[in-house]
Amino acid sequence: MTRLPSALDTQLQRESGVTHFEYWVMMLLSEEPGHRLQMSELAHKANASLSRLSHVVSKLERMGWAQRSTTMGRRGVHAVLTDDGYLKVVEAAPGYLDAVRHLVFDGLDATQKAELADLSEVLAQRLAEAVSQLAPGTDGATRRDRPGK
């Protein structure tokens, strides 16, 4: 499992000049209305710290693929995918999907693909539950550590 992101990173950098995480962030933005999302929500969707996301968005800004935006009367900064950023996602997507297909699915038969889907669902649910239980309390304790939880 730890080799897959690295292999995808290599393919994306070679073919499109972006890292797997940069592609992921731009892809998430490309699916949003107006290609924009509040930074904190984007960090949540990308499963990244706000610090890591901010660093990546800064790089995407330098490349002309994203920009930050504020909305009058609203809190928070939005990341916005530029037209060039959207074109980069569209350009990179076929190679990315081919790599995922080749690295993950081509070596599996129909039964194994169904088993992978079932296992992935169970793992995703388990991870979501575990992460929600680890949310820190005001005293630094986790929900599991607090009485009555």
Side-chain angles (χ1 to χ4, degrees):
M1 290 305 297
T2 59
R3 290 175 149 179
L4 183 59
S6 177
L8 292 171
D9 217 28
T10 299
Q11 179 273 330
L12 281 165
Q13 287 182 0
R14 182 180 61 243
E15 293 185 12
S16 301
V18 296
T19 67
H20 184 231
F21 187 67
E22 291 163 355
Y23 172 79
W24 182 247
V25 167
M26 291 191 297
M27 190 277 308
L28 288 170
L29 287 171
S30 76
E31 295 180 337
E32 293 295 323
H35 299 166
R36 68 185 303 118
L37 195 59
Q38 190 170 21
M39 290 284 286
S40 59
E41 180 64 19
L42 182 57
H44 175 75
K45 285 187 173 200
N47 195 31
S49 69
L50 197 49
S51 174
R52 179 178 185 206
L53 179 68
S54 182
H55 177 74
V56 168
V57 170
S58 292
K59 181 178 178 188
L60 296 175
E61 284 180 306
R62 287 190 303 274
M63 302 300 286
W65 298 331
Q67 61 188 34
R68 292 173 211 248
S69 166
T70 57
T71 304
M72 294 297 292
R74 294 202 174 166
R75 294 182 56 183
V77 175
H78 287 82
V80 181
L81 189 66
T82 64
D83 290 343
D84 285 346
Y86 183 78
L87 292 174
K88 180 52 94 173
V89 171
V90 170
E91 169 197 311
Y96 176 76
L97 294 173
D98 284 345
V100 170
R101 190 176 303 109
H102 172 71
L103 294 168
V104 178
F105 296 104
D106 285 352
L108 303 176
D109 63 30
T111 301
Q112 291 170 323
K113 289 175 186 174
E115 290 171 352
L116 178 61
D118 291 343
L119 288 170
S120 296
E121 187 116 358
V122 170
L123 286 172
Q125 184 177 357
R126 176 73 180 130
L127 288 169
E129 290 169 2
V131 168
S132 71
Q133 290 176 353
L134 295 175
T138 55
D139 62 357
T142 64
R143 287 184 186 171
R144 183 181 294 152
D145 295 334
R146 287 181 278 179
K149 299 290 179 192

